[in-house]
Amino acid sequence: MHTASTPRVALVTGANRGLGRALAHGLARQGLHVVTTARSIDAARQAAVELRDLGGLASGHQLDVTDPASVFRAFADTIHEHGRLDVLINSAAVAIDRNKTVSAPDMEIVQETMNANVMGVWRCCAQAVPAMRDGGYGRILNITSHLGSLSTMESSSPSYRISKAALNAFTLTLAHELADENILVNAASPGLTDTRLAYGTATQSAEAAAESMLWLALLPDSGPTGGIFHGPDRLAW
């Protein structure tokens, strides 16, 4: 049971910039202890300092979602230090195939994209779920994209689109497995947001996008699971 002296603990991947940073700030404002992670330990620690300077509870940890040993260390250290893990936000991702085509792929880019956007999330969830089971509570939010919707699938940025479609499928399968364990798993798309992945086409700030999806990391026990959302609305996929 969490109390004022033992706040819930959230780990955010890719928390040093963009949407991940904004989500980390939102969680800190809600009183959670936020473990800010980034591929660089300096960036992760700086993100935590920023939150603490604003009055939040935070610590930084190096985490590269493509490195299984790094993932294991980050979660093991977090759980050892706090004795719990309540919330996981998988925000870290890459979008590096804007000018590629399906019929003439660069398979190294495909592999790198899938490793970060799908396998990376899978690795993090596999480490988080045992601790959430131990605590009888968990909230997992996977950041997806409208580009991963099968119902509107097009050919641009193919490996990114396919990785997000796979992430949506992963979200639903994990949610189904955990449906009776009070571990709620959902995905959310920010839409066109001012981050490095937007290629100058943003229509909203990272802070506004984070605010629209933060509710999925703070759900009551009766909240939805296995959903894909944009703001309060479910997305077709």
Side-chain angles (χ1 to χ4, degrees):
M1 182 69 106
H2 76 104
T3 66
S5 60
T6 59
R8 295 205 187 281
V9 174
L11 187 148
V12 182
T13 70
N16 58 310
R17 60 174 170 251
L19 187 59
R21 175 181 175 274
L23 286 162
H25 279 247
L27 291 171
R29 286 194 296 270
Q30 293 296 320
L32 283 75
H33 182 107
V34 182
V35 180
T36 57
T37 73
R39 286 179 292 181
S40 157
I41 182 59
D42 290 340
R45 288 174 175 167
Q46 182 54 44
V49 167
E50 188 178 90
L51 286 180
R52 292 197 296 271
D53 286 347
L54 294 171
L57 302 170
S59 52
H61 205 294
Q62 190 275 339
L63 172 57
D64 179 350
V65 299
T66 68
D67 179 354
S70 171
V71 173
F72 177 83
R73 284 193 302 269
F75 283 86
D77 289 353
T78 295
I79 295 162
H80 175 75
E81 179 178 352
H82 300 282
R84 64 190 302 156
L85 178 62
D86 305 286
V87 176
L88 169 62
I89 297 184
N90 289 300
S91 181
V94 298
I96 52 178
D97 70 336
R98 187 184 186 198
N99 297 316
K100 302 301 179 182
T101 64
V102 185
S103 59
D106 180 329
M107 295 310 294
E108 289 187 5
I109 287 178
V110 173
Q111 185 172 11
E112 185 177 346
T113 300
M114 297 299 287
N115 194 16
N117 296 2
V118 184
M119 301 302 293
V121 172
W122 203 325
R123 292 182 186 104
C124 290
C125 289
Q127 294 297 323
V129 165
M132 292 177 173
R133 281 179 164 144
D134 287 346
Y137 175 98
R139 304 292 182 262
I140 297 174
L141 173 57
N142 298 327
I143 306 305
T144 187
S145 169
H146 281 64
L147 298 184
S149 172
L150 295 179
S151 63
T152 58
M153 189 62 68
E154 297 179 3
S155 60
S156 62
S157 303
S159 62
Y160 181 77
R161 286 180 181 273
I162 292 167
S163 75
K164 291 302 186 178
L167 176 62
N168 292 347
F170 171 78
T171 299
L172 271 63
T173 56
L174 184 61
H176 185 269
E177 177 182 330
L178 302 174
D180 298 325
E181 301 186 56
N182 194 29
I183 303 174
L184 307 181
V185 186
N186 293 283
S189 171
L192 292 173
T193 303
D194 189 15
T195 69
R196 292 194 314 161
L197 306 189
Y199 297 113
T201 59
T203 59
Q204 63 180 333
S205 68
E207 290 72 23
E211 193 64 30
S212 75
M213 63 177 65
L214 197 65
W215 65 282
L216 289 164
L218 304 167
L219 288 168
D221 293 352
S222 59
T225 192
I228 302 170
F229 292 90
H230 176 56
D233 303 320
R234 284 184 179 263
L235 286 179
W237 79 282

